[in-house]
Amino acid sequence: MSFNLKGRSFLTLKDYTPQEIKYLLDLSAELKKAKYIGTEAKNLQGKSIALIFEKPSTRTRCAFVVACSDQGAHAEYLGKGDIQLGKKESVEDTAKVLGRMFDGIEFRGFKHSTVEILAQHSGVPVWNGLTDLYHPTQVLADFLTIKERKGYLKGISFAYVGDGRNNVANSLMIGAAKMGIDFRIVSPKELFPTEELVAYCRSEAAVSGASVTVTDDVKLGVSGCDVLYTDVWVSMGEEEFFDERIRLLKDYQVNMDMIRATGKEECMFLHCLPAFHDTKTTVGLEIFEKYGLKEMEVSDEVFRSKHSAVFDEAENRVHTIKAIMVATL
């Protein structure tokens, strides 16, 4: 079954049906195969894409740039200091200007309201590369990676372990609820997702056959899981919370004991990256010197193990972002 998504923005998975999400995942797989065997068509030839980045990025920026290049489009990177977004020019006025010049706009930044205003006033498709509430392009890459390794999504048991109310956890829960996944948030109570979002996801789960569990019990939460997922304990712009997050999350590190606690020999590990699994980064070394932690949200042993699919997952950002642009342009 095909879908006409032309002209649609991609701000949150709330806006997409399970059938539309499946279509995007299938299109991602087709485009990936075409790239690998050298038969990829230039579906976006002549298109110009604006990439607005309030927050810097490795995977999101590179994925959009490579996807545009592969498909024949021109990508223009607009960093925090390159345009007057919200400073000397309102988001609404910026949207109206960019919409006259570009065929599509990607936004990665802080307030979700910013990407909503861009979509409302630009007149072209707008894609959410990350906001404080949601990270939907990441979740498509996660789901594609699971399908590649496991062969299916519906019925997968999936635990997100860590900060249960960040943008990745929010989007994973929405996507899982729509796609029939047994989904668990495993988190300290202080970091549980909002009751409103959990209620929404449970209403979606009632239709799809999914289940949504929120628990602070690690053993209960990960038992029987096919997939374990985590994210950094402190998101960009929240660095002042390291003391609090380390105190709350030190018992929620994904390590080999947790992998064994799933009871699944082929348990899969995912992480949206970057990951603090050693001291080979400036931040990692600073945390070690201050707190004595060599690893944070995931142990180096798990990160480098057979269970880890994090680099397949990172590559799949290209293919799923490409599918979103092709489908909506």
Side-chain angles (χ1 to χ4, degrees), residues 7-300:
R8 293 268 297 273
S9 288
F10 190 78
L11 308 186
T12 167
L13 290 173
K14 285 183 174 182
D15 299 332
Y16 280 70
T17 67
Q19 293 77 18
E20 289 169 340
I21 295 169
K22 182 180 183 301
Y23 169 71
L24 289 171
L25 292 172
D26 290 344
L27 180 57
S28 302
E30 291 175 16
L31 292 170
K32 182 175 182 177
K33 180 179 179 180
K35 180 180 173 77
Y36 271 45
I37 65 177
T39 61
E40 185 169 3
K42 301 286 187 181
N43 294 293
L44 302 181
Q45 190 75 46
K47 302 291 187 182
S48 293
I49 309 299
L51 306 178
I52 303 175
F53 278 76
E54 285 184 337
K55 285 186 174 183
S57 168
T58 299
R59 276 146 298 280
T60 302
R61 176 177 178 176
C62 293
F64 269 99
V65 169
V66 171
C68 285
S69 176
D70 285 351
Q71 286 289 309
H74 167 72
E76 184 66 28
Y77 179 80
L78 302 172
K80 190 175 180 180
D82 295 327
I83 57 176
Q84 299 298 330
L85 184 74
K87 289 181 262 184
K88 294 183 179 179
E89 186 168 45
S90 69
V91 177
E92 178 180 339
D93 290 354
T94 301
K96 291 175 179 177
V97 170
L98 295 181
R100 299 285 185 104
M101 300 180 181
F102 291 92
D103 299 290
I105 299 169
E106 177 275 346
F107 173 80
R108 178 183 173 93
F110 293 93
K111 294 180 180 178
H112 189 71
S113 59
T114 301
V115 79
E116 292 178 324
I117 294 169
L118 288 170
Q120 182 180 357
H121 295 286
S122 65
V124 299
V126 174
W127 312 297
N128 179 3
L130 177 144
T131 63
D132 54 358
L133 292 182
Y134 305 114
H135 198 358
T137 60
Q138 176 65 50
V139 173
L140 287 188
D142 301 335
F143 286 179
L144 179 62
T145 309
I146 294 169
K147 285 192 73 175
E148 288 175 340
R149 283 222 176 178
K150 300 292 186 181
Y152 63 100
L153 279 178
K154 189 175 179 67
I156 284 284
S157 291
F158 185 126
Y160 173 93
V161 184
D163 181 355
R165 31 102 269 176
N166 76 4
N167 45 24
V168 173
N170 288 345
S171 289
L172 282 168
M173 183 162 58
I174 295 165
K178 287 177 177 280
M179 301 309 289
I181 293 172
D182 167 19
F183 184 76
R184 302 97 177 267
I185 292 279
V186 185
S187 170
K189 291 179 180 177
E190 295 90 335
L191 300 177
F192 276 4
T194 66
E195 292 182 5
E196 179 183 9
L197 184 59
V198 173
Y200 167 82
C201 290
R202 285 179 173 156
S203 68
E204 292 291 316
V207 176
S208 71
S211 61
V212 176
T213 302
V214 181
T215 181
D216 63 348
D217 187 323
V218 174
K219 185 176 180 180
L220 175 66
V222 306
S223 178
C225 278
D226 303 296
V227 180
L228 294 184
Y229 195 116
T230 193
D231 192 5
V232 293
W233 289 347
V234 174
S235 297
M236 193 180 305
E238 296 184 337
E239 287 77 12
E240 71 270 25
F241 296 112
F242 263 115
D243 282 350
E244 175 192 62
R245 299 292 168 74
I246 288 171
R247 175 179 59 81
L248 290 174
L249 291 167
K250 58 184 173 60
D251 294 330
Y252 291 82
Q253 181 192 77
V254 178
N255 50 41
M256 289 306 297
D257 286 341
M258 188 180 291
I259 294 284
R260 286 187 285 270
T262 67
K264 295 291 185 77
E265 177 63 29
E266 299 302 317
C267 179
M268 180 179 178
F269 171 71
L270 295 175
H271 190 307
C272 55
L273 302 181
F276 293 112
H277 60 98
D278 56 27
T279 58
K280 296 178 182 178
T281 63
T282 302
V283 173
L285 186 58
E286 288 174 353
I287 294 300
F288 172 67
E289 291 173 346
K290 185 172 182 179
Y291 300 99
L293 291 175
K294 289 185 177 180
E295 308 154 322
M296 282 191 275
E297 73 277 6
V298 59
S299 70
D300 194 59

Side-chain angles (χ1 to χ4, degrees), residues 298-310:
V298 59
S299 70
D300 194 59
E301 183 180 12
V302 168
F303 189 85
R304 299 180 187 279
S305 73
K306 68 174 185 177
H307 302 281
S308 178
V310 297

